[in-house]
Amino acid sequence: NAGVTQTPKFQVLKTGQSMTLQCAQDMNHNSMYWYRQDPGMGLRLIYYSASEGTTDKGEVPNGYNVSRLNKREFSLRLESAAPSQTSVYFCASSERAGGYNSPLHFGNGTRLTVT
Amino acid sequence: AQSVTQPDIHITVSEGASLELRCNYSYGATPYLFWYVQSPGQGLQLLLKYFSGDTLVQGIKGFEAEFKRSQSSFNLRKPSVHWSDAAEYFCAVGALKYSGAGSYQLTFGKGTKLSVIP
């Protein structure tokens, strides 16, 4: 049982380049999330998708776009990467958006460096 | 808006010693409260959760947490730490941003890194 799978695991970009981070879950969860983790900042929500066909901004959405491709997949796109986007990105999923009985299940992260 | 404070950035304990990690939250109503653990190079794993009922909740790996409404706290404890508990621990509060589907928001604290001395 793979759970939440993120690709790639590592990526180095030059300023201005674009890339898409991929995320897929095999738990038939309705909701999916993208977080970034920076030292001393904890996890901050970038975007989330409460259900297939919907997306909404989180705490730090600027510079990112997302696509909920289907129920399984939720991608994060950086159109023009900036050094401030150097971070570890985590995808997560939950059975539904919110609620005590819908804890998040996390992938292992993508470590992105923008030079 | 809800917020979470973990006052201790880094804690070091000896193996076999007891552990308490502090978490304070701010939210106007009764929140959902969670503790997650992150091992190096890994994603976060749920340790335990609380919404209502008994204020002392048990989790995996021998951890427990106590909700104290009067102190707005949800501290994580373990009676005897093992070397494998070395990791970063995150407290999180979940609350409704607004009514309706998709309105739930989970806010994380900045984390407490636990080191264990053999």
Side-chain angles (χ1 to χ4, degrees):
Chain A
N1 187 358
V4 179
T5 302
Q6 293 183 234
T7 55
K9 289 184 169 56
F10 301 93
Q11 184 70 49
V12 179
L13 291 178
K14 294 187 187 308
T15 298
Q17 286 184 319
S18 63
M19 79 160 295
T20 300
L21 281 64
Q22 306 288 351
C23 174
Q25 52 90 10
D26 62 3
M27 295 172 284
N28 200 35
H29 284 170
N30 290 300
S31 303
M32 298 185 74
Y33 311 79
W34 278 105
Y35 285 88
R36 62 177 288 173
Q37 183 179 31
D38 303 290
M41 298 295 290
L43 278 81
R44 293 180 292 170
L45 182 64
I46 304 171
Y47 271 94
Y48 68 100
S49 171
S51 60
E52 188 179 354
T54 69
T55 60
D56 204 352
K57 296 178 180 179
E59 181 184 355
V60 288
N62 291 343
Y64 306 95
N65 285 300
V66 291
S67 295
R68 184 73 182 268
L69 304 170
N70 48 55
K71 190 172 186 179
R72 289 187 63 247
E73 298 173 287
F74 188 40
S75 63
L76 178 72
R77 184 162 178 82
L78 287 70
E79 290 291 351
S80 179
S84 61
Q85 294 178 305
T86 293
S87 187
V88 181
Y89 291 85
F90 286 97
C91 179
S93 70
S94 63
E95 186 175 346
R96 58 186 180 277
Y100 172 67
N101 289 316
S102 290
L104 300 179
H105 295 257
F106 284 84
N108 286 336
T110 295
R111 186 174 296 274
L112 175 67
T113 301
V114 183
T115 61
Chain B
Q2 68 269 28
S3 65
V4 179
T5 301
Q6 293 181 248
D8 304 305
I9 296 172
H10 191 186
I11 285 182
T12 300
V13 299
S14 297
E15 191 169 17
S18 63
L19 172 70
E20 182 169 27
L21 302 182
R22 295 182 292 165
C23 172
N24 294 96
Y25 70 90
S26 173
Y27 183 59
T30 301
Y32 304 123
L33 294 163
F34 305 85
W35 276 99
Y36 283 82
V37 60
Q38 184 182 30
S39 298
Q42 303 293 312
L44 279 71
Q45 180 186 19
L46 179 68
L47 278 177
L48 47 77
K49 58 185 179 179
Y50 171 82
F51 176 56
S52 64
D54 193 345
T55 56
L56 185 64
V57 293
Q58 303 297 322
I60 63 171
K61 305 184 181 188
F63 284 91
E64 65 180 25
E66 185 172 12
F67 171 63
K68 293 185 177 180
R69 184 186 300 277
S70 62
Q71 299 177 19
S72 297
S73 69
F74 188 56
N75 293 349
L76 182 71
R77 302 195 294 245
K78 187 170 185 178
S80 177
V81 170
H82 188 263
W83 64 266
S84 60
D85 293 325
E88 191 158 17
Y89 292 79
F90 292 91
C91 181
V93 58
L96 287 174
K97 183 181 179 183
Y98 46 82
S99 62
S103 59
Y104 176 81
Q105 292 268 333
L106 193 65
T107 300
F108 286 87
K110 295 182 179 180
T112 297
K113 185 175 181 180
L114 174 65
S115 297
V116 180
I117 301 171

